[in-house]
Amino acid sequence: KLSKSFKIESVTEKEKSKSAREVFKTSTLQQAASNKLGFAPSKTMKLAQDLYEGKTLSNETVGLITYMRTDSTRISDLALEETRTYVEQRFGSAYIPPKANVYAAGKNAQDAHEAIRPTSVLLAPEDIEQYLSRDQLRLYTLIWQRFVACQMTPAVYDTLSAAIQAGDRYQLKANGSQLKFPGFMAVYAGSEEKK
């Protein structure tokens, strides 16, 4: 039988931030494409190869992503500069960290190629969708969003935690959070979750 006496022992309010995940490398691209899009690794790599080799956009063949077989998280200075400018112009200066976000490569990483990213963030998915198949567009969008998000400020939440005593035997805890500032989630909200 449940006790009828409940007492709030404590309430804690905090601000919590959540940073974007690092730019894609081969293994993380395959994991995200599997989780988000339901693609097998072989399908992901075939589509990525197509995007890397290029698509004809207005009479010109353009490679849309960097090389897709890499375990590096390195990003060229030119790509960082272009992305930071794009984010500031599209979302405002509050979405740009003071310095570019740099992600450490694993100790065994081969650094011959950059991380997997769009060749230009100015080729937004909605601007080139007419040139891509449905699945190419879905994978390109995932790569584009993750790359842009990795160079944005963290999302900020207001969190509330309450400890509740229920009678003499039970201690309950309730937690909640509310988004205060979207940061990178303005581009990449929920993209890692299964759909």
Side-chain angles (χ1 to χ4, degrees):
K1 185 176 178 181
L2 279 176
S3 167
K4 293 182 180 174
S5 97
F6 291 88
K7 181 181 175 191
I8 297 174
E9 297 283 315
S10 66
V11 175
T12 307
E13 294 181 61
K14 288 184 184 175
E15 189 176 272
K16 193 173 185 179
S17 65
K18 177 182 178 183
S19 296
R21 292 178 178 225
E22 68 184 14
V23 65
F24 281 132
K25 50 191 177 183
T26 304
S27 60
T28 54
L29 174 62
Q30 290 173 341
Q31 289 166 1
S34 175
N35 289 342
K36 168 89 174 140
L37 307 174
F39 292 171
S42 58
K43 179 173 183 171
T44 298
M45 297 312 287
K46 166 73 174 86
L47 292 167
Q49 181 76 37
D50 293 343
L51 295 171
Y52 170 72
E53 289 176 359
K55 291 294 176 189
T56 302
L57 313 178
S58 303
N59 301 321
E60 180 184 5
T61 300
V62 177
L64 297 177
I65 64 169
T66 55
Y67 192 60
M68 64 281 155
R69 294 197 182 277
T70 181
D71 56 1
S72 175
T73 55
R74 184 174 50 83
I75 302 166
S76 76
D77 290 342
L78 189 62
L80 288 173
E81 185 179 320
E82 180 185 72
T83 306
R84 289 173 60 79
T85 300
Y86 174 86
V87 169
E88 185 169 23
Q89 288 175 351
R90 178 150 180 208
F91 298 100
S93 58
Y95 288 83
I96 296 282
K99 294 188 300 189
N101 294 328
V102 177
Y103 298 91
K107 61 181 178 179
N108 297 323
Q110 304 277 326
D111 201 30
H113 300 283
E114 279 188 72
I116 301 169
R117 63 168 180 84
T119 54
S120 172
V121 296
L122 302 179
L123 294 172
E126 60 272 16
D127 296 334
I128 61 170
E129 68 181 309
Q130 64 189 3
Y131 305 106
L132 304 178
S133 72
R134 179 178 181 270
D135 285 345
Q136 287 170 345
L137 178 63
R138 292 171 73 206
L139 185 65
Y140 181 76
T141 300
L142 189 69
I143 293 167
W144 188 91
Q145 288 176 341
R146 173 95 163 228
F147 177 64
V148 173
C150 88
Q151 290 306 312
M152 295 174 74
T153 52
V156 180
Y157 292 87
D158 282 328
T159 65
L160 184 70
S161 178
I164 304 163
Q165 187 67 41
D168 296 330
R169 295 179 57 193
Y170 301 103
Q171 176 90 29
L172 307 173
K173 195 167 193 178
N175 296 306
S177 64
Q178 184 170 0
L179 186 62
K180 181 177 184 178
F181 176 73
F184 77 92
M185 292 178 66
V187 171
Y188 196 68
S191 291
E192 294 302 291
E193 289 148 25
K194 286 193 175 187
K195 287 210 169 184

